[in-house]
Amino acid sequence: MPRLEIAEDGFRLDDRPFRILSGGLHYFRVHPDQWADRLRKARLLGLNTVETYVPWNLHAPRPGEFRLDGGLDLPRFLALAAAEGLYVLLRPGPYICAEWEGGGLPSWLLAEDGIALRSRDPRFMAAVDGYLAALLPPLKPYLSCDGGPVIAVQLENEYGAYGDDPGYLADLAGLLRAHGVHVPLFTCDQPSDLARGGLDGILRTVNLGSRVESGVDALRRIQPAGPLMCAEFWIGWFDRWGAAHTTRNAADAAADLDRLLAAGASVNIYMFHGGTNFGLTSGANDKGTYRPTVTSYDYDALLDEAGDPTPKYTAFREVIARYAAVPDEPAPASAPRLAPAVVELDASAGLFDQTGLFGRPVRADRPLTMEQLGQSFGFVRYEAELPAAGPAVLHVGEVRDRAQVFVDGQPVGVLERENHEHALAFVAPRTGARLVVLVENQGRVNYGPGVHDRKGLLDPVRVNGEELTGWSSSPLPLDSLDALALAAARAEPTAGPAFHRGSFTLDRRADGYLALDGWTKGHAWINGFPLGRYWSRGPQTTLYVPAPVLRPGRNEITVLELHATATRTVELRDRPDLGPAED
């Protein structure tokens, strides 16, 4: 494939003027069996390029490990893009934001006391070097300098919103070059951060969702010559639990795309297809109040969560056709959906009875953080004995992020980081009563200084003013349900968190949605595939079910309900419910 050049008058490809028309498509948010479909729909829109981040934390779940298999087979994704005739903008971080857990930074970095992330801290830079050394050699054949589709690589991500050390960016650029990246590099920042986040000699690009002329002018002031590019043209937004579903008018977004292209700019549409934060991968924001992100990353994008074109797809295709050739093929049609059905979950088991799902308990005077336990996702079960019977006030300095408290197996309350809660009152029934605190990681902060986001109980725990010691900390990562043992559901309700399971039969596979009306908060799986979190707080009330995780014949649904349910049934539906819209 030809190589991209950065010239005074713009991009050139094979010594011809070239405009990048790109769309965001994160392979790790889409089932791998659906990658080819989404890439074809990008080409049919008129795009010549797709953009993807690379989540370091998924590829390197533990120090010394690196994965490029299954849904993380990035070489396969790049090969499929090339087969579709698409170029690729690769954004390997090390920090990616992306509303992704920890901004893609692996949690095991935080096991180092005092480590400074996104800095020249030698411990951080050594870890980045190891990451790039594992990631980049398998990608070498896919770089355009070696005939592949990757025409440019991003350096860090919106660094100007975080720091202002050009030496850090220069060191990162050196590592990329040392590991074989000999394609153009670029940085991206919001207009007010362009000076802080850029590096001399590296192409700067701007991120914006509106005020196109102002953003382009800001980029031109700091970079008078060279290509104009918007690396993230925000055409929607992400949602958080407890808020409304965010949308953006299709005509309004298309008009701003027209303004960008009329200015001669290249563009990356964020997002072309958002996808889903499957499992426990969604991040959070904290600007004084912790706000976790929902499971869906629909983003009000051009393709919805199931990959169907939205009205925005049609509107954008019409705009792109004014500036570039759009394939003379029909726009893609919507795919078939599952027939609605009600599924009874007729087997259950208490969470705390499932000792095989928990890691080895670790004893210590104080509760251990997830990072100290070598854990990234899920829960920690903390246990200790209460010193006396009678009224008690439990005080926790830092709950990261949500703690359910039990005394002798009975729930006595919840402490939420989001609500700045630290204390809980109850009556201990006896001396030596068993205190259990189940703490959920609801997503590490993905933006700003809050990325230093350790999970669990971070400070000493006190009861009636005295520090409580003698803790047992047991990790519950929920990375596999193979050890789960359930029995026929009893007539009486299960006290505390519990698993529920049922089955249904299909004639054929199709995309669908799982609705959990009457359930409170928890996680859901189909055939062992983690669909993600649900929460009656909303706005999202359905979870996307990709067709490839289903099978003709018998299928199995498992739900972990953390509180209580008013029903024993769930529903399969043919359409999503992401909540009431807020433009």
Side-chain angles (χ1 to χ4, degrees):
M1 286 195 174
R3 296 183 61 174
L4 184 72
E5 297 177 18
I6 297 174
E8 289 286 305
D9 58 349
F11 291 117
R12 300 185 73 81
L13 199 66
D14 199 20
D15 203 31
R16 296 177 182 174
F18 181 70
R19 188 203 297 262
I20 296 173
L21 296 172
S22 175
L25 173 58
H26 301 158
Y27 62 97
F28 48 93
R29 282 181 158 129
V30 179
H31 193 284
D33 291 354
Q34 297 171 324
W35 288 346
D37 172 77
R38 309 308 193 249
L39 290 163
R40 180 182 68 88
K41 289 169 180 173
R43 178 183 62 80
L44 291 179
L45 179 69
L47 301 182
N48 54 34
T49 306
V50 291
E51 164 269 315
T52 186
Y53 283 124
V54 181
W56 180 8
N57 58 354
L58 284 198
H59 285 282
R62 281 168 290 275
E65 292 186 23
F66 199 80
R67 295 184 52 202
L68 279 172
D69 60 333
L72 296 174
D73 190 348
L74 179 54
R76 175 173 172 263
F77 177 81
L78 297 176
L80 287 171
E84 199 63 54
L86 295 166
Y87 302 112
V88 177
L89 301 176
L90 192 68
R91 307 170 80 187
Y95 163 80
I96 63 172
C97 184
E99 291 72 57
W100 188 255
E101 223 266 352
L105 298 171
S107 65
W108 46 261
L109 292 171
L110 296 172
E112 293 270 7
D113 288 338
I115 191 170
L117 304 177
R118 303 180 71 188
S119 80
R120 301 177 86 181
D121 183 322
R123 296 169 294 179
F124 180 69
M125 292 303 295
V128 173
D129 189 16
Y131 161 54
L132 296 177
L135 172 70
L136 293 173
L139 302 188
K140 191 173 186 297
Y142 302 96
L143 301 177
S144 62
C145 53
D146 289 283
V150 178
I151 55 174
V153 171
Q154 184 172 292
L155 177 65
E156 240 269 358
N157 185 64
E158 290 192 327
Y159 178 67
Y162 183 86
D164 60 358
D165 181 5
Y168 164 63
L169 295 178
D171 287 351
L172 282 181
L175 287 177
L176 289 169
R177 297 304 190 202
H179 289 295
V181 175
H182 300 300
V183 299
L185 303 179
F186 65 98
T187 59
C188 76
D189 285 282
Q190 297 178 47
S192 60
D193 300 323
L194 284 164
R196 287 161 45 93
L199 183 66
D200 290 347
I202 301 294
L203 179 71
R204 286 174 165 89
T205 68
V206 67
N207 296 347
L208 53 83
S210 59
R211 302 180 62 194
V212 170
E213 293 82 1
S214 175
V216 168
D217 288 347
L219 180 58
R220 266 293 171 246
R221 283 196 299 272
I222 198 164
Q223 186 171 266
L228 277 174
M229 179 162 179
C230 178
E232 290 186 14
F233 171 47
W234 306 317
I235 56 95
W237 207 245
F238 60 93
D239 293 339
R240 65 172 179 86
W241 293 113
H245 172 49
T246 304
T247 61
R248 184 178 180 190
N249 177 271
D252 172 70
D256 274 339
L257 175 65
D258 200 4
R259 292 183 184 97
L260 268 171
L261 299 182
S266 289
V267 66
N268 176 55
I269 299 163
Y270 196 98
M271 297 289 298
F272 164 68
H273 174 48
T276 308
N277 298 313
F278 292 117
L280 306 170
T281 55
S282 54
N285 284 275
D286 193 340
K287 299 178 181 179
T289 297
Y290 175 81
R291 304 291 194 193
T293 303
V294 304
T295 297
S296 172
Y297 201 65
D298 173 88
Y299 214 88
D300 199 33
L302 275 64
L303 299 183
D304 67 14
E305 199 172 0
D308 281 348
T310 68
K312 210 171 278 181
Y313 185 100
T314 302
F316 275 42
R317 198 173 192 237
E318 291 173 357
V319 171
I320 291 169
R322 298 173 199 153
Y323 298 91
V326 170
D328 186 20
E329 301 176 46
S334 296
R337 291 286 173 265
L338 286 178
V342 175
V343 180
E344 182 180 2
L345 306 189
D346 53 9
S348 64
L351 170 64
F352 296 140
D353 297 330
Q354 302 299 303
T355 55
L357 295 180
F358 289 86
R360 181 180 62 86
V362 181
R363 301 283 300 181
D365 281 343
R366 292 182 175 181
L368 301 178
T369 66
M370 279 192 176
E371 294 73 24
Q372 290 170 320
L373 293 167
Q375 179 183 357
S376 295
F377 305 105
F379 298 76
V380 178
R381 180 180 65 189
Y382 297 102
E383 299 183 58
E385 289 186 359
L386 292 171
V393 174
L394 178 75
H395 182 269
V396 182
E398 284 288 340
V399 173
R400 302 282 184 89
D401 302 303
R402 192 172 189 269
Q404 294 174 242
V405 183
F406 305 84
V407 175
D408 278 352
Q410 296 303 307
V412 296
V414 176
L415 296 173
E416 290 193 330
R417 174 182 180 183
E418 186 171 359
N419 293 333
H420 305 279
E421 294 169 342
H422 300 275
L424 185 67
F426 55 85
V427 176
R430 61 185 177 88
T431 298
R434 198 69 177 163
L435 174 70
V436 173
V437 185
L438 182 68
V439 178
E440 179 184 4
N441 166 10
Q442 294 191 117
R444 286 183 178 82
V445 171
N446 54 250
Y447 189 81
V451 294
H452 293 76
D453 192 10
R454 294 173 175 87
K455 296 300 187 183
L457 299 179
L458 268 58
D459 291 324
V461 177
R462 303 183 187 277
V463 175
N464 293 339
E466 297 294 324
E467 182 176 349
L468 188 61
T469 59
W471 287 88
S472 171
S473 304
S474 303
L476 177 62
L478 289 179
D479 49 5
S480 171
L481 298 184
D482 290 347
L484 179 60
L486 294 94
R490 298 174 297 180
E492 67 273 15
T494 303
F499 287 98
H500 305 267
R501 178 173 284 171
S503 64
F504 61 98
T505 302
L506 291 177
D507 294 329
R508 60 173 179 82
R509 302 192 305 179
D511 287 323
Y513 303 88
L514 179 67
L516 294 113
D517 296 356
W519 299 75
T520 304
K521 188 182 195 297
H523 305 264
W525 296 257
I526 287 190
N527 296 331
F529 182 87
L531 300 181
R533 298 177 169 96
Y534 68 89
W535 199 351
S536 58
R537 181 176 290 183
Q540 174 180 0
T541 66
T542 57
L543 296 174
Y544 170 55
V545 180
V549 311
L550 300 170
R551 53 195 176 223
R554 184 179 182 275
N555 294 265
E556 194 172 71
I557 297 177
T558 304
V559 172
L560 170 58
E561 170 56 53
L562 296 171
H563 293 281
T565 174
T567 178
R568 291 191 186 275
T569 63
V570 296
E571 292 184 50
L572 294 170
R573 295 181 181 170
D574 58 1
R575 64 191 63 191
D577 183 355
L578 299 180
E582 178 182 76
D583 292 331

